[in-house]
Amino acid sequence: MHEQGFDNIYRDLEGLRARDRYRRRRTLESPQGARVVVDGRRLLNFCSNDYLGLASDPRVGEAFRTGIERWGTGAGASHLVCGHTAAHEALEIALAEFTGRPRALLYSSGYHANVGVINALLSRGDFVFEDRLNHASLLDGGWISLATFTWFDHLDAAHLERGLEAVADAGARKLIASDGTFSMDGDRCRLDDAIAVAKRHRAWLMIDDAHGMGVHGRQGVGLVDPQQRSTDDVPVLVGTLGKAFGTAGAFVAGDEGLIETLIQRSRNYIYTTAMPSALAVATLVSLSILRDETWRREHLAHLVDRFRTEASTLGFSVMPSVSPIQPLVVGDAARALALSSALEERGFLITAIRPPTVPEGTSRLRVTLTAAHKTSDVDQLLEALAAVDRGLEPEA
Ligand SMILES: *Cc1c(COP(=O)(O)O)cnc(C)c1O
């Protein structure tokens, strides 16, 4: 509750500033990539989610242009009215095939998809279980659905199971939602444990693999390999197109029953304009690059490995992450900001991640690596980190 209506809106903002939580946007003057221009300066960029370096790939760009020639710029309506085109249809079929699921459904963004899916599947009287470090969109979906919301400790299947055991109502729907790769820590959901618990309690498991798809797994399929995990194991799979795919949008993959339910009931699907068809055309090309160009994943894995080894040698405490997300936790927000500025002076763009995105006292530099980086870029980053070293020691 706010005490004085809108009268204290500026005081609120000042409060954020005083606690080093004020956020500001950096304006890029160049395309997304390993090197970007900010305030007229060229910086080595270590904070994008463009994991495979496809966000400014010329082939994807060319497909986008061809798509505009064929389809125009705007979809002009929602999918259910008259905005759904053969371009969307083709991408949905390709994404279903990619993930080894019978069907896939496009959403405008991962945020839309997560909120829309949970809200469509659950309502008052149902139950949703969420990992404490889940992405904000999964949390919001759970809250908006009005289902009973239960946290479980990060990756803790035993804690999750105790929560499920406490549900007395046998007829209620139970949904377990988890990030595949956790967006701020870079570690992964323990899929075997989560599947086993879900099955014992006849719950559905929803995996949001926003950071995993394209980055690891056979052909870049991510955490949920269809050769090993059926839709019985993971009934709801979400992927986003704005990260490794280098475009924008998201999709949900699963059985006929899930997808038709979303088409009928998902408000975030029904009441929004379809993504531009040209974007679907471009994404189809980025999907084929993502599957075929395995060197991107291999090079990225090599960079991750090198960063972790060298950072540990330099005495930094790296987190248990084998993903391109390599956070260096420094503690308080002011320190994270100061380090981010010090690195920028040296020519590196790495944003400080602060509460409420991460828990109090765990502000961090969230370093992300991409296939567009050269080994020498990572080495330069390590040198710069060594130079600002003392600030990077975790606080006692
Ligand atoms: C980025 C992200 C999303 C949101 O996806 P957008 O397409 O950017 O809206 C959802 N879930 C996770 C885990 C993410 O990291």
Side-chain angles (χ1 to χ4, degrees):
M1 219 259 289
H2 293 96
E3 306 270 304
Q4 297 156 30
F6 290 110
D7 294 347
N8 55 4
I9 200 163
Y10 284 101
R11 220 166 12 119
D12 265 11
L13 290 170
E14 278 316 308
L16 289 175
R17 222 186 280 278
R19 288 178 293 143
D20 297 302
R21 292 200 186 176
Y22 206 84
R23 297 162 188 250
R24 80 188 164 116
R25 302 171 302 170
R26 306 308 303 272
T27 306
L28 266 62
E29 294 144 12
S30 66
Q32 187 58 258
R35 282 156 186 76
V36 292
V37 179
V38 177
D39 295 334
R41 283 184 67 215
R42 251 165 91 81
L43 299 176
L44 260 174
N45 179 11
F46 283 101
C47 55
S48 87
N49 300 318
D50 179 24
Y51 298 121
L52 297 182
L54 296 181
S56 30
D57 187 283
R59 294 162 294 177
V60 179
E62 182 54 34
F64 215 146
R65 276 187 291 276
T66 314
I68 289 172
E69 279 162 28
R70 169 79 168 78
W71 298 102
T73 50
S78 68
H79 284 280
L80 287 178
V81 176
C82 63
H84 188 70
T85 66
H88 297 124
E89 194 68 24
L91 180 57
E92 288 182 343
I93 289 167
L95 289 168
E97 196 254 325
F98 174 56
T99 53
R101 266 58 191 146
R103 287 188 67 185
L105 189 74
L106 291 172
Y107 275 78
S108 302
S109 77
Y111 197 105
H112 269 81
N114 283 336
V115 173
V117 168
I118 301 176
N119 192 28
L121 293 178
L122 304 181
S123 56
R124 207 185 287 280
D126 295 325
F127 294 83
V128 61
F129 297 84
E130 301 220 16
D131 188 288
R132 274 195 199 284
L133 298 188
N134 271 357
H135 189 264
S137 54
L138 288 171
L139 305 180
D140 288 358
W143 289 321
I144 287 172
S145 73
L146 301 179
T148 302
F149 188 109
T150 306
W151 298 103
F152 59 91
D153 290 341
H154 186 48
L155 305 179
D156 188 341
H159 190 220
L160 165 63
E161 183 137 39
R162 288 198 295 281
L164 282 152
E165 279 161 0
V167 175
D169 184 352
R173 289 184 179 179
K174 290 161 279 186
L175 180 74
I176 302 163
S178 176
D179 284 22
T181 293
F182 286 84
S183 55
M184 295 300 138
D185 285 36
D187 53 352
R188 286 184 203 157
C189 171
R190 293 182 185 144
L191 198 55
D192 287 325
D193 296 355
I195 290 170
V197 173
K199 288 197 167 165
R200 278 200 288 278
H201 296 274
R202 304 187 60 228
W204 268 17
L205 179 61
M206 170 175 181
I207 298 290
D208 165 13
D209 207 17
H211 297 278
M213 261 181 218
V215 170
H216 59 92
R218 204 177 34 83
Q219 289 196 313
V221 78
L223 187 67
V224 183
D225 184 335
Q227 291 186 353
Q228 291 165 33
R229 319 286 189 186
S230 66
T231 51
D232 282 342
D233 299 324
V234 182
V236 188
L237 177 62
V238 177
T240 65
L241 306 174
K243 289 168 179 154
F245 282 83
T247 58
F251 66 98
V252 181
D255 283 336
E256 183 74 13
L258 170 72
I259 301 304
E260 282 303 315
T261 299
L262 297 177
I263 294 172
Q264 307 308 318
R265 295 205 194 278
S266 178
R267 297 166 64 83
N268 294 19
Y269 183 76
I270 299 169
Y271 300 107
T272 199
T273 302
M275 69 160 68
S277 297
L279 187 56
V281 174
T283 305
L284 206 49
V285 169
S286 96
L287 172 62
S288 87
I289 298 172
L290 174 151
R291 295 176 85 158
D292 295 347
E293 295 189 351
T294 48
W295 67 264
R296 291 176 188 271
R297 268 182 291 288
E298 285 157 13
H299 177 57
L300 183 54
H302 155 76
L303 296 180
V304 168
D305 197 47
R306 185 175 186 96
F307 178 84
R308 292 179 62 73
T309 309
E310 296 300 313
S312 306
T313 307
L314 288 168
F316 299 126
S317 37
V318 292
M319 294 186 73
S321 154
V322 291
S323 79
I325 303 167
Q326 291 295 326
L328 298 170
V329 174
V330 300
D332 83 22
R335 208 148 76 131
L337 281 177
L339 283 162
S340 173
S341 307
L343 287 164
E344 187 168 333
E345 275 164 34
R346 291 170 186 272
F348 298 86
L349 184 64
I350 305 173
T351 35
I353 305 284
R354 294 159 284 162
T357 305
V358 293
E360 188 71 47
T362 70
S363 287
R364 64 197 65 183
L365 294 174
R366 179 177 176 271
V367 172
T368 54
L369 305 167
T370 76
H373 288 118
K374 298 182 223 153
T375 306
S376 59
D377 296 337
V378 173
D379 292 345
Q380 282 182 48
L381 170 65
L382 288 157
E383 260 173 53
L385 289 171
V388 299
D389 174 20
R390 288 210 304 186
L392 281 164
E393 285 165 26
E395 282 164 307

